Amino acid sequence: MARILSFAILLFFGIFSGLLVFANAQLVSVNLYFTVVDLELGMALLLAVLAGIFLAIIFSITIVLRYRRKAKMLEKQNKLITEEITTLRKMPIKEMH
C-alpha cells in the first residue's frame, strides 16, 4: 500500500512539474558566478526542485547510515548481554552458610 501511495505522489509531482515547465515559457537569465545561462522559467524551477531533491537524498542517506551503524552496535551489545545472562543462569547457585 505504501508503494502505491508513494508512486501516486511521485506521479502527481511529475505531472505537476511537466505542466509547470510548459506553462512558464518565459526566458530568465541564471547567473552561476562563472557563466550566465538563459533558461525557460519552468525549466529553471524544475532544475531547482531536482537539485533540492538530490541534496535531501544525500543528507538523508547519511542519517540512515548513521542509524544503521548504531543499530548494529546495539545488536552486538544485546547479543553479548544475552549471552552473559544465559551463562549466569546456567551457573549453580552457591549457598552461604
Side-chain angles (χ1 to χ4, degrees):
M1 183 65 185
R3 285 185 179 181
I4 295 172
L5 183 62
S6 298
F7 180 73
I9 291 172
L10 184 65
L11 184 64
F12 170 75
F13 280 115
I15 292 171
F16 181 73
S17 299
L19 292 174
L20 189 69
V21 169
F22 289 120
N24 294 300
Q26 302 90 344
L27 285 178
V28 292
S29 295
V30 179
N31 187 352
L32 301 174
Y33 291 114
F34 52 87
T35 187
V36 176
V37 180
D38 290 329
L39 293 173
E40 293 180 1
L41 178 60
M43 186 61 70
L45 290 172
L46 182 64
L47 291 175
V49 167
L50 291 176
I53 290 170
F54 177 73
L55 289 174
I57 288 171
I58 294 290
F59 287 124
S60 65
I61 285 175
T62 59
I63 292 170
V64 167
L65 291 177
R66 186 178 338 132
Y67 281 124
R68 282 187 181 176
R69 187 174 354 117
K70 188 174 183 177
K72 284 183 182 182
M73 181 188 67
L74 290 173
E75 284 175 0
K76 286 180 183 179
Q77 285 179 351
N78 187 18
K79 183 179 178 184
L80 288 174
I81 291 171
T82 304
E83 288 174 358
E84 183 179 355
I85 290 172
T86 305
T87 57
L88 288 173
R89 285 182 180 160
K90 289 180 182 180
M91 290 177 59
I93 298 175
K94 294 182 180 179
E95 293 185 23
M96 297 182 73
H97 296 288

